[in-house]
PDB file of all heavy atoms in Angstrom:
ATOM      1  N   SER A  70     -11.382  -8.447  -1.437  1.00  0.00           N
ATOM      2  CA  SER A  70     -10.801  -7.898  -2.663  1.00  0.00           C
ATOM      3  C   SER A  70     -11.201  -6.445  -2.848  1.00  0.00           C
ATOM      4  O   SER A  70     -10.436  -5.645  -3.368  1.00  0.00           O
ATOM      5  CB  SER A  70     -11.245  -8.717  -3.873  1.00  0.00           C
ATOM      6  OG  SER A  70     -12.628  -8.562  -4.100  1.00  0.00           O
ATOM      7  N   TRP A 173      -1.740  -1.778 -10.061  1.00  0.00           N
ATOM      8  CA  TRP A 173      -2.754  -2.645 -10.656  1.00  0.00           C
ATOM      9  C   TRP A 173      -2.334  -4.096 -10.647  1.00  0.00           C
ATOM     10  O   TRP A 173      -3.160  -5.005 -10.460  1.00  0.00           O
ATOM     11  CB  TRP A 173      -3.056  -2.194 -12.089  1.00  0.00           C
ATOM     12  CG  TRP A 173      -1.908  -2.372 -13.041  1.00  0.00           C
ATOM     13  CD1 TRP A 173      -0.963  -1.457 -13.362  1.00  0.00           C
ATOM     14  CD2 TRP A 173      -1.585  -3.558 -13.783  1.00  0.00           C
ATOM     15  NE1 TRP A 173      -0.056  -1.981 -14.247  1.00  0.00           N
ATOM     16  CE2 TRP A 173      -0.413  -3.266 -14.532  1.00  0.00           C
ATOM     17  CE3 TRP A 173      -2.153  -4.826 -13.880  1.00  0.00           C
ATOM     18  CZ2 TRP A 173       0.184  -4.207 -15.357  1.00  0.00           C
ATOM     19  CZ3 TRP A 173      -1.560  -5.768 -14.722  1.00  0.00           C
ATOM     20  CH2 TRP A 173      -0.406  -5.453 -15.445  1.00  0.00           C
ATOM     21  N   TRP A 174      -1.029  -4.375 -10.835  1.00  0.00           N
ATOM     22  CA  TRP A 174      -0.599  -5.765 -10.922  1.00  0.00           C
ATOM     23  C   TRP A 174      -0.683  -6.458  -9.558  1.00  0.00           C
ATOM     24  O   TRP A 174      -0.888  -7.668  -9.482  1.00  0.00           O
ATOM     25  CB  TRP A 174       0.817  -5.858 -11.497  1.00  0.00           C
ATOM     26  CG  TRP A 174       1.859  -5.023 -10.815  1.00  0.00           C
ATOM     27  CD1 TRP A 174       2.297  -3.785 -11.179  1.00  0.00           C
ATOM     28  CD2 TRP A 174       2.610  -5.372  -9.640  1.00  0.00           C
ATOM     29  NE1 TRP A 174       3.256  -3.335 -10.315  1.00  0.00           N
ATOM     30  CE2 TRP A 174       3.477  -4.293  -9.364  1.00  0.00           C
ATOM     31  CE3 TRP A 174       2.641  -6.492  -8.811  1.00  0.00           C
ATOM     32  CZ2 TRP A 174       4.351  -4.296  -8.282  1.00  0.00           C
ATOM     33  CZ3 TRP A 174       3.517  -6.506  -7.734  1.00  0.00           C
ATOM     34  CH2 TRP A 174       4.357  -5.416  -7.478  1.00  0.00           C
ATOM     35  N   GLU A 175      -0.535  -5.700  -8.466  1.00  0.00           N
ATOM     36  CA  GLU A 175      -0.692  -6.302  -7.148  1.00  0.00           C
ATOM     37  C   GLU A 175      -2.153  -6.642  -6.896  1.00  0.00           C
ATOM     38  O   GLU A 175      -2.471  -7.672  -6.285  1.00  0.00           O
ATOM     39  CB  GLU A 175      -0.180  -5.357  -6.071  1.00  0.00           C
ATOM     40  CG  GLU A 175       1.337  -5.300  -5.986  1.00  0.00           C
ATOM     41  CD  GLU A 175       1.804  -4.536  -4.759  1.00  0.00           C
ATOM     42  OE1 GLU A 175       0.958  -4.193  -3.902  1.00  0.00           O
ATOM     43  OE2 GLU A 175       3.021  -4.274  -4.660  1.00  0.00           O
ATOM     44  N   ILE A 176      -3.068  -5.770  -7.339  1.00  0.00           N
ATOM     45  CA  ILE A 176      -4.494  -6.050  -7.189  1.00  0.00           C
ATOM     46  C   ILE A 176      -4.864  -7.297  -7.993  1.00  0.00           C
ATOM     47  O   ILE A 176      -5.564  -8.183  -7.511  1.00  0.00           O
ATOM     48  CB  ILE A 176      -5.322  -4.841  -7.658  1.00  0.00           C
ATOM     49  CG1 ILE A 176      -4.978  -3.609  -6.814  1.00  0.00           C
ATOM     50  CG2 ILE A 176      -6.813  -5.146  -7.579  1.00  0.00           C
ATOM     51  CD1 ILE A 176      -5.626  -2.340  -7.300  1.00  0.00           C
ATOM     52  N   LEU A 177      -4.356  -7.392  -9.247  1.00  0.00           N
ATOM     53  CA  LEU A 177      -4.604  -8.567 -10.076  1.00  0.00           C
ATOM     54  C   LEU A 177      -4.038  -9.817  -9.419  1.00  0.00           C
ATOM     55  O   LEU A 177      -4.675 -10.884  -9.406  1.00  0.00           O
ATOM     56  CB  LEU A 177      -3.977  -8.357 -11.462  1.00  0.00           C
ATOM     57  CG  LEU A 177      -4.075  -9.540 -12.439  1.00  0.00           C
ATOM     58  CD1 LEU A 177      -5.545  -9.847 -12.739  1.00  0.00           C
ATOM     59  CD2 LEU A 177      -3.312  -9.222 -13.727  1.00  0.00           C
ATOM     60  N   PHE A 178      -2.852  -9.695  -8.838  1.00  0.00           N
ATOM     61  CA  PHE A 178      -2.203 -10.802  -8.153  1.00  0.00           C
ATOM     62  C   PHE A 178      -3.088 -11.337  -7.022  1.00  0.00           C
ATOM     63  O   PHE A 178      -3.288 -12.544  -6.869  1.00  0.00           O
ATOM     64  CB  PHE A 178      -0.853 -10.323  -7.615  1.00  0.00           C
ATOM     65  CG  PHE A 178      -0.095 -11.343  -6.811  1.00  0.00           C
ATOM     66  CD1 PHE A 178       0.604 -12.361  -7.431  1.00  0.00           C
ATOM     67  CD2 PHE A 178      -0.070 -11.262  -5.422  1.00  0.00           C
ATOM     68  CE1 PHE A 178       1.305 -13.289  -6.685  1.00  0.00           C
ATOM     69  CE2 PHE A 178       0.625 -12.182  -4.672  1.00  0.00           C
ATOM     70  CZ  PHE A 178       1.315 -13.204  -5.305  1.00  0.00           C
ATOM     71  N   LEU A 179      -3.663 -10.439  -6.237  1.00  0.00           N
ATOM     72  CA  LEU A 179      -4.513 -10.848  -5.118  1.00  0.00           C
ATOM     73  C   LEU A 179      -5.819 -11.474  -5.610  1.00  0.00           C
ATOM     74  O   LEU A 179      -6.316 -12.440  -5.019  1.00  0.00           O
ATOM     75  CB  LEU A 179      -4.798  -9.638  -4.226  1.00  0.00           C
ATOM     76  CG  LEU A 179      -3.593  -9.124  -3.447  1.00  0.00           C
ATOM     77  CD1 LEU A 179      -3.916  -7.792  -2.788  1.00  0.00           C
ATOM     78  CD2 LEU A 179      -3.164 -10.123  -2.384  1.00  0.00           C
ATOM     79  N   TYR A 180      -6.363 -10.941  -6.706  1.00  0.00           N
ATOM     80  CA  TYR A 180      -7.573 -11.530  -7.272  1.00  0.00           C
ATOM     81  C   TYR A 180      -7.306 -12.973  -7.723  1.00  0.00           C
ATOM     82  O   TYR A 180      -8.124 -13.876  -7.510  1.00  0.00           O
ATOM     83  CB  TYR A 180      -8.065 -10.711  -8.462  1.00  0.00           C
ATOM     84  CG  TYR A 180      -9.048  -9.625  -8.099  1.00  0.00           C
ATOM     85  CD1 TYR A 180      -8.732  -8.283  -8.253  1.00  0.00           C
ATOM     86  CD2 TYR A 180     -10.310  -9.942  -7.604  1.00  0.00           C
ATOM     87  CE1 TYR A 180      -9.626  -7.283  -7.916  1.00  0.00           C
ATOM     88  CE2 TYR A 180     -11.219  -8.958  -7.266  1.00  0.00           C
ATOM     89  CZ  TYR A 180     -10.864  -7.633  -7.424  1.00  0.00           C
ATOM     90  OH  TYR A 180     -11.765  -6.654  -7.085  1.00  0.00           O
ATOM     91  N   LEU A 181      -6.164 -13.199  -8.358  1.00  0.00           N
ATOM     92  CA  LEU A 181      -5.830 -14.540  -8.830  1.00  0.00           C
ATOM     93  C   LEU A 181      -5.665 -15.513  -7.673  1.00  0.00           C
ATOM     94  O   LEU A 181      -6.070 -16.677  -7.758  1.00  0.00           O
ATOM     95  CB  LEU A 181      -4.551 -14.485  -9.681  1.00  0.00           C
ATOM     96  CG  LEU A 181      -4.680 -13.750 -11.021  1.00  0.00           C
ATOM     97  CD1 LEU A 181      -3.326 -13.667 -11.709  1.00  0.00           C
ATOM     98  CD2 LEU A 181      -5.685 -14.446 -11.920  1.00  0.00           C
ATOM     99  N   ILE A 182      -5.074 -15.049  -6.588  1.00  0.00           N
ATOM    100  CA  ILE A 182      -4.948 -15.899  -5.404  1.00  0.00           C
ATOM    101  C   ILE A 182      -6.324 -16.257  -4.858  1.00  0.00           C
ATOM    102  O   ILE A 182      -6.593 -17.413  -4.485  1.00  0.00           O
ATOM    103  CB  ILE A 182      -4.091 -15.201  -4.328  1.00  0.00           C
ATOM    104  CG1 ILE A 182      -2.620 -15.174  -4.761  1.00  0.00           C
ATOM    105  CG2 ILE A 182      -4.217 -15.918  -2.984  1.00  0.00           C
ATOM    106  CD1 ILE A 182      -1.702 -14.509  -3.770  1.00  0.00           C
ATOM    107  N   GLU A 183      -7.224 -15.265  -4.813  1.00  0.00           N
ATOM    108  CA  GLU A 183      -8.580 -15.537  -4.324  1.00  0.00           C
ATOM    109  C   GLU A 183      -9.283 -16.561  -5.200  1.00  0.00           C
ATOM    110  O   GLU A 183      -9.957 -17.467  -4.698  1.00  0.00           O
ATOM    111  CB  GLU A 183      -9.382 -14.239  -4.286  1.00  0.00           C
ATOM    112  CG  GLU A 183      -8.941 -13.276  -3.196  1.00  0.00           C
ATOM    113  CD  GLU A 183      -9.770 -12.007  -3.196  1.00  0.00           C
ATOM    114  OE1 GLU A 183     -10.765 -11.965  -3.936  1.00  0.00           O
ATOM    115  OE2 GLU A 183      -9.419 -11.084  -2.449  1.00  0.00           O
ATOM    116  N   ILE A 184      -9.131 -16.430  -6.499  1.00  0.00           N
ATOM    117  CA  ILE A 184      -9.776 -17.368  -7.420  1.00  0.00           C
ATOM    118  C   ILE A 184      -9.248 -18.777  -7.202  1.00  0.00           C
ATOM    119  O   ILE A 184     -10.004 -19.758  -7.195  1.00  0.00           O
ATOM    120  CB  ILE A 184      -9.565 -16.922  -8.877  1.00  0.00           C
ATOM    121  CG1 ILE A 184     -10.336 -15.626  -9.147  1.00  0.00           C
ATOM    122  CG2 ILE A 184      -9.995 -18.010  -9.860  1.00  0.00           C
ATOM    123  CD1 ILE A 184     -10.011 -14.990 -10.479  1.00  0.00           C
ATOM    124  N   SER A 185      -7.932 -18.910  -7.000  1.00  0.00           N
ATOM    125  CA  SER A 185      -7.341 -20.230  -6.788  1.00  0.00           C
ATOM    126  C   SER A 185      -7.859 -20.858  -5.500  1.00  0.00           C
ATOM    127  O   SER A 185      -8.151 -22.059  -5.457  1.00  0.00           O
ATOM    128  CB  SER A 185      -5.813 -20.127  -6.755  1.00  0.00           C
ATOM    129  OG  SER A 185      -5.377 -19.397  -5.632  1.00  0.00           O
ATOM    130  N   PHE A 186      -8.007 -20.065  -4.450  1.00  0.00           N
ATOM    131  CA  PHE A 186      -8.558 -20.594  -3.209  1.00  0.00           C
ATOM    132  C   PHE A 186     -10.030 -20.974  -3.379  1.00  0.00           C
ATOM    133  O   PHE A 186     -10.509 -21.938  -2.762  1.00  0.00           O
ATOM    134  CB  PHE A 186      -8.408 -19.574  -2.080  1.00  0.00           C
ATOM    135  CG  PHE A 186      -7.053 -19.603  -1.437  1.00  0.00           C
ATOM    136  CD1 PHE A 186      -6.195 -18.523  -1.549  1.00  0.00           C
ATOM    137  CD2 PHE A 186      -6.634 -20.713  -0.718  1.00  0.00           C
ATOM    138  CE1 PHE A 186      -4.941 -18.552  -0.963  1.00  0.00           C
ATOM    139  CE2 PHE A 186      -5.391 -20.750  -0.126  1.00  0.00           C
ATOM    140  CZ  PHE A 186      -4.538 -19.675  -0.248  1.00  0.00           C
ATOM    141  N   PHE A 187     -10.729 -20.207  -4.186  1.00  0.00           N
ATOM    142  CA  PHE A 187     -12.123 -20.543  -4.452  1.00  0.00           C
ATOM    143  C   PHE A 187     -12.224 -21.897  -5.151  1.00  0.00           C
ATOM    144  O   PHE A 187     -13.070 -22.728  -4.798  1.00  0.00           O
ATOM    145  CB  PHE A 187     -12.771 -19.456  -5.312  1.00  0.00           C
ATOM    146  CG  PHE A 187     -14.160 -19.811  -5.775  1.00  0.00           C
ATOM    147  CD1 PHE A 187     -15.211 -19.851  -4.878  1.00  0.00           C
ATOM    148  CD2 PHE A 187     -14.405 -20.109  -7.104  1.00  0.00           C
ATOM    149  CE1 PHE A 187     -16.497 -20.173  -5.297  1.00  0.00           C
ATOM    150  CE2 PHE A 187     -15.677 -20.435  -7.535  1.00  0.00           C
ATOM    151  CZ  PHE A 187     -16.729 -20.464  -6.632  1.00  0.00           C
ATOM    152  N   PHE A 188     -11.378 -22.151  -6.137  1.00  0.00           N
ATOM    153  CA  PHE A 188     -11.366 -23.438  -6.815  1.00  0.00           C
ATOM    154  C   PHE A 188     -11.038 -24.559  -5.839  1.00  0.00           C
ATOM    155  O   PHE A 188     -11.617 -25.637  -5.880  1.00  0.00           O
ATOM    156  CB  PHE A 188     -10.350 -23.424  -7.964  1.00  0.00           C
ATOM    157  CG  PHE A 188     -10.922 -22.953  -9.269  1.00  0.00           C
ATOM    158  CD1 PHE A 188     -10.850 -21.623  -9.631  1.00  0.00           C
ATOM    159  CD2 PHE A 188     -11.543 -23.839 -10.133  1.00  0.00           C
ATOM    160  CE1 PHE A 188     -11.388 -21.173 -10.826  1.00  0.00           C
ATOM    161  CE2 PHE A 188     -12.082 -23.413 -11.333  1.00  0.00           C
ATOM    162  CZ  PHE A 188     -12.010 -22.070 -11.682  1.00  0.00           C
ATOM    163  N   PHE A 197      -4.650 -28.356  -8.798  1.00  0.00           N
ATOM    164  CA  PHE A 197      -4.635 -27.137  -9.614  1.00  0.00           C
ATOM    165  C   PHE A 197      -4.358 -25.898  -8.769  1.00  0.00           C
ATOM    166  O   PHE A 197      -3.535 -25.058  -9.119  1.00  0.00           O
ATOM    167  CB  PHE A 197      -5.979 -26.993 -10.333  1.00  0.00           C
ATOM    168  CG  PHE A 197      -6.205 -25.639 -10.944  1.00  0.00           C
ATOM    169  CD1 PHE A 197      -5.604 -25.291 -12.147  1.00  0.00           C
ATOM    170  CD2 PHE A 197      -7.003 -24.706 -10.302  1.00  0.00           C
ATOM    171  CE1 PHE A 197      -5.813 -24.043 -12.697  1.00  0.00           C
ATOM    172  CE2 PHE A 197      -7.211 -23.461 -10.843  1.00  0.00           C
ATOM    173  CZ  PHE A 197      -6.610 -23.136 -12.049  1.00  0.00           C
ATOM    174  N   SER A 198      -5.057 -25.796  -7.635  1.00  0.00           N
ATOM    175  CA  SER A 198      -4.936 -24.601  -6.798  1.00  0.00           C
ATOM    176  C   SER A 198      -3.552 -24.470  -6.205  1.00  0.00           C
ATOM    177  O   SER A 198      -2.983 -23.385  -6.160  1.00  0.00           O
ATOM    178  CB  SER A 198      -5.983 -24.638  -5.673  1.00  0.00           C
ATOM    179  OG  SER A 198      -7.276 -24.617  -6.214  1.00  0.00           O
ATOM    180  N   PHE A 201      -1.128 -23.479  -8.938  1.00  0.00           N
ATOM    181  CA  PHE A 201      -1.391 -22.098  -9.349  1.00  0.00           C
ATOM    182  C   PHE A 201      -0.843 -21.116  -8.316  1.00  0.00           C
ATOM    183  O   PHE A 201      -0.227 -20.103  -8.672  1.00  0.00           O
ATOM    184  CB  PHE A 201      -2.896 -21.902  -9.543  1.00  0.00           C
ATOM    185  CG  PHE A 201      -3.256 -20.606 -10.204  1.00  0.00           C
ATOM    186  CD1 PHE A 201      -2.654 -20.226 -11.395  1.00  0.00           C
ATOM    187  CD2 PHE A 201      -4.198 -19.768  -9.638  1.00  0.00           C
ATOM    188  CE1 PHE A 201      -2.995 -19.038 -12.017  1.00  0.00           C
ATOM    189  CE2 PHE A 201      -4.540 -18.577 -10.246  1.00  0.00           C
ATOM    190  CZ  PHE A 201      -3.941 -18.216 -11.434  1.00  0.00           C
ATOM    191  N   CYS A 202      -1.059 -21.414  -7.021  1.00  0.00           N
ATOM    192  CA  CYS A 202      -0.543 -20.539  -5.962  1.00  0.00           C
ATOM    193  C   CYS A 202       0.983 -20.501  -5.985  1.00  0.00           C
ATOM    194  O   CYS A 202       1.585 -19.434  -5.833  1.00  0.00           O
ATOM    195  CB  CYS A 202      -1.039 -21.012  -4.600  1.00  0.00           C
ATOM    196  SG  CYS A 202      -2.760 -20.606  -4.272  1.00  0.00           S
ATOM    197  N   PHE A 204       2.864 -20.978  -8.537  1.00  0.00           N
ATOM    198  CA  PHE A 204       3.240 -20.221  -9.724  1.00  0.00           C
ATOM    199  C   PHE A 204       3.162 -18.718  -9.459  1.00  0.00           C
ATOM    200  O   PHE A 204       4.064 -17.958  -9.829  1.00  0.00           O
ATOM    201  CB  PHE A 204       2.319 -20.600 -10.882  1.00  0.00           C
ATOM    202  CG  PHE A 204       2.501 -19.751 -12.114  1.00  0.00           C
ATOM    203  CD1 PHE A 204       3.576 -19.936 -12.960  1.00  0.00           C
ATOM    204  CD2 PHE A 204       1.582 -18.748 -12.410  1.00  0.00           C
ATOM    205  CE1 PHE A 204       3.742 -19.139 -14.085  1.00  0.00           C
ATOM    206  CE2 PHE A 204       1.736 -17.957 -13.530  1.00  0.00           C
ATOM    207  CZ  PHE A 204       2.824 -18.160 -14.371  1.00  0.00           C
ATOM    208  N   LEU A 205       2.097 -18.297  -8.774  1.00  0.00           N
ATOM    209  CA  LEU A 205       1.936 -16.878  -8.460  1.00  0.00           C
ATOM    210  C   LEU A 205       3.011 -16.399  -7.491  1.00  0.00           C
ATOM    211  O   LEU A 205       3.578 -15.319  -7.652  1.00  0.00           O
ATOM    212  CB  LEU A 205       0.552 -16.632  -7.862  1.00  0.00           C
ATOM    213  CG  LEU A 205      -0.639 -16.761  -8.825  1.00  0.00           C
ATOM    214  CD1 LEU A 205      -1.938 -16.662  -8.049  1.00  0.00           C
ATOM    215  CD2 LEU A 205      -0.581 -15.708  -9.906  1.00  0.00           C
TER     216      LEU A 205
END
Side-chain angles (χ1 to χ4, degrees):
S70 67
W173 67 267
W174 53 264
E175 284 190 8
I176 299 174
L177 177 62
F178 177 78
L179 291 170
Y180 269 114
L181 292 175
I182 288 180
E183 289 180 8
I184 292 171
S185 66
F186 277 114
F187 173 70
F188 271 93
F197 167 78
S198 297
F201 191 52
C202 284
F204 173 76
L205 290 173

